[in-house]
Amino acid sequence: MNKSTVTFTSEGLNCVGWLYMPTYASEQQVPAIVMAHGFSLVKEAYLDKYAEIFCHGGFAVLVFDYRNFGESDSYLPQHLEPYEQIKDYRNAISWLSTLREIDENKIGIWGTSYSGGHVLHIGAVDRRVKAVVAQVPTINGRKGAERKMGHEKFEQFLKNLTNYRTERYITGERKMHPVVSEDGVAAQPHPDAYKWFTETAETVAPSWKNEITLESMEHYVEYNPASFIEFISPTPLMMIAAMDDGITPPDLINEAFEEQAKEPKKLLKLPRGHFDVYNGATFEQASKESLKWFQQHLLTKQRSKS
């Protein structure tokens, strides 16, 4: 396995990523997987562990930072706009398809949490994608935010966002909002989030910043990737739910899978919480089952580890 730092252009700016390549890719074209992280996160936050497993399993893997985050260029630092991040994914697919080592007819996408929602959308609209894994995905931003905040706090938050939009129009000034905080007044108010995000920043992802534009939250509560799920078929879709997840509710994932997703599809239900899939008790199962899904649908035959 070879790992290199790469740069590709997305909407006129540079995105920085890691490209993992099986050693035998110089001899034959290989299938590929495109990956990016969830809400506000950067590639260093354990995505390398997934990429290594996928690469050893026979895939080239591109892991990248969105524009505005990590090592990539910014048009508005720390700003999350889901459809702009979706453009980054699709531009990553385009760039990867130009590499002589890549079989452009065998490209899969993997997303987690916020990007789990992104890959649901991309899988529905971009037929270059031949397999999708959506891990603990955002299904509906509004429903998810209300679950985390509670109804009364959520309604007040919506009023605050409306007032902020008027204020921003008048003054032209943008405010920042914490991703997590000890008192829970943040984009991710669940108690598990503060501990995991801050520990991750201290250990493996020091470039992560605990702030986003407040405008990002407008986009979050308006984001409904579940509306596209039915159109993913006939592209194979696997969804992964964590049954004690307080960030992306498992019942919303199950409902979307049962009522909207069409065959071929698979739902993997894991124990524990949202962050256990990254560096906790369910990482091994989540990564191995994802690899199996990609191998089933993108590999014509198994290769030994690179």
Side-chain angles (χ1 to χ4, degrees), residues 43 52 56 81 103 125 128 186-187 222 235-236 274 303:
K43 61 186 182 300
E52 289 168 3
H56 283 303
E81 191 167 347
D103 185 340
V125 301
R128 295 176 300 174
E222 295 167 3
T235 302
H274 187 83
R303 292 296 304 257

Side-chain angles (χ1 to χ4, degrees), residues 105-116:
N105 296 310
K106 295 181 180 179
I107 292 179
I109 52 175
W110 178 98
T112 186
S113 197
Y114 207 33
S115 68

Side-chain angles (χ1 to χ4, degrees), residues 1-304:
M1 179 181 71
N2 298 313
K3 176 186 177 183
S4 59
T5 299
V6 297
T7 301
F8 64 91
T9 301
S10 182
E11 308 305 305
L13 296 177
N14 288 328
C15 286
V16 177
W18 297 322
L19 181 61
Y20 295 76
M21 197 74 75
T23 54
Y24 54 82
S26 60
E27 305 167 8
Q28 66 179 66
Q29 288 188 318
V30 295
I33 299 168
V34 177
M35 304 172 55
H37 223 312
F39 195 89
S40 85
L41 285 164
V42 293
K43 61 186 182 300
E44 288 82 4
Y46 305 107
L47 289 196
D48 55 329
K49 303 304 180 185
Y50 278 91
E52 289 168 3
I53 287 173
F54 295 162
C55 189
H56 283 303
F59 296 91
V61 185
L62 174 60
V63 185
F64 71 92
D65 286 331
Y66 305 108
R67 288 170 294 153
N68 301 333
F69 292 91
E71 294 185 285
S72 294
D73 291 345
S74 296
Y75 61 89
L76 183 59
Q78 300 301 117
H79 178 67
L80 287 92
E81 191 167 347
Y83 294 107
E84 290 301 314
Q85 295 188 337
I86 284 170
K87 290 178 184 178
D88 293 343
Y89 254 102
R90 298 182 75 180
N91 287 324
I93 293 169
S94 296
W95 177 79
L96 196 62
S97 298
T98 68
L99 303 184
R100 62 177 179 80
E101 299 93 341
I102 303 302
D103 185 340
E104 63 179 328
N105 296 310
K106 295 181 180 179
I107 292 179
I109 52 175
W110 178 98
T112 186
S113 197
Y114 207 33
S115 68
H118 299 351
V119 298
L120 293 175
H121 180 99
I122 298 163
V125 301
D126 196 329
R127 290 303 174 198
R128 295 176 300 174
V129 172
K130 305 305 182 185
V132 179
V133 174
Q135 176 176 275
V136 293
T138 296
I139 296 297
N140 181 294
R142 185 185 183 97
K143 290 180 179 179
E146 186 169 4
R147 291 278 189 92
K148 286 179 278 191
M149 296 182 187
H151 179 71
E152 290 186 7
K153 288 184 178 180
F154 178 68
E155 289 298 320
Q156 183 58 54
F157 187 68
L158 288 181
K159 290 180 181 178
N160 292 343
L161 287 179
T162 300
N163 293 337
Y164 170 59
R165 174 168 280 277
T166 303
E167 177 185 334
R168 190 170 73 244
Y169 179 81
I170 294 170
T171 66
E173 296 180 2
R174 283 186 164 90
K175 293 182 179 179
M176 304 303 288
H177 191 61
V179 178
V180 294
S181 66
E182 199 164 10
D183 62 8
V185 181
Q188 296 290 353
H190 195 278
D192 290 349
Y194 177 77
K195 182 176 186 292
W196 188 86
F197 272 85
T198 53
E199 288 181 354
T200 296
E202 291 175 357
T203 55
V204 299
S207 67
W208 173 78
K209 297 179 181 179
N210 188 17
E211 63 176 9
I212 55 170
T213 63
L214 184 54
E215 187 180 351
S216 299
M217 292 304 297
E218 290 181 331
H219 296 299
Y220 180 77
V221 299
E222 295 167 3
Y223 189 35
N224 182 27
S227 64
F228 276 79
I229 289 178
E230 65 179 294
F231 304 115
I232 296 173
S233 178
T235 302
L237 166 66
M238 183 165 82
M239 300 174 72
I240 301 174
M243 302 314 292
D244 294 321
D245 194 337
I247 311 298
T248 53
D251 61 305
L252 296 182
I253 297 171
N254 186 73
E255 179 183 321
F257 178 84
E258 295 293 342
E259 298 182 9
Q260 295 169 268
K262 298 178 180 179
E263 298 290 347
K265 63 179 182 177
K266 178 179 180 179
L267 176 61
L268 175 64
K269 296 181 179 181
L270 298 177
R272 309 289 290 265
H274 187 83
F275 300 106
D276 288 290
V277 296
Y278 300 122
N279 62 325
T282 54
F283 162 75
E284 183 175 358
Q285 187 176 0
S287 58
K288 287 186 176 180
E289 290 299 320
S290 296
L291 174 60
K292 287 179 182 179
W293 188 254
F294 286 127
Q295 288 177 329
Q296 177 184 347
H297 296 288
L298 297 178
L299 279 183
T300 55
K301 63 180 180 178
Q302 300 295 322
R303 292 296 304 257
S304 59

